[in-house]
Amino acid sequence: MADEDYVYDEDSGEWMPASELAAKQAADATTPVRDAVGNLLSDGDQVTLIKDLDVKGAGQTLKQGTVIKSIRLTGDAQEIDCKYPGIKGLVLRAEFVKKR
């Protein structure tokens, strides 16, 4: 048996070899992110909001039809990282946007 380090996988609640966990995380990172109508999203895309969203901590509401430019995928199948003037660290759920 090879001397391999075992690490705890928080998602499954099991101990597994480090190489196996790394392979699992790499596969998860390639999970496709789809918008509200099923279009595949990628880094740099422009999206439009499909409903009004209250932004927690910013004290403002982003209105339906607002264009968000140059999104970044986070590795989570439902979250996208965005830049918007006046709001730092904006993360939107993919279910509330539509690709332009």
Side-chain angles (χ1 to χ4, degrees), residues 61-82:
T61 301
L62 293 177
K63 300 291 184 186
Q64 178 179 350
T66 301
V67 176
I68 306 290
K69 299 178 182 179
S70 189
I71 65 167
R72 285 182 294 159
L73 303 181
T74 62
D76 185 325
Q78 279 300 310
E79 293 182 349
I80 54 175
D81 190 26
C82 311

Side-chain angles (χ1 to χ4, degrees), residues 45-64:
D45 283 345
Q46 290 186 2
V47 295
T48 305
L49 297 180
I50 62 169
K51 66 179 270 184
D52 292 353
L53 298 174
D54 293 324
V55 182
K56 294 179 181 177
Q60 71 183 61
T61 301
L62 293 177
K63 300 291 184 186
Q64 178 179 350

Side-chain angles (χ1 to χ4, degrees), residues 84-100:
Y84 190 77
I87 303 174
K88 291 186 179 183
L90 179 63
V91 177
L92 296 174
R93 303 246 334 144
E95 64 191 278
F96 298 125
V97 299
K98 182 173 84 172
K99 186 174 179 177
R100 288 192 63 150

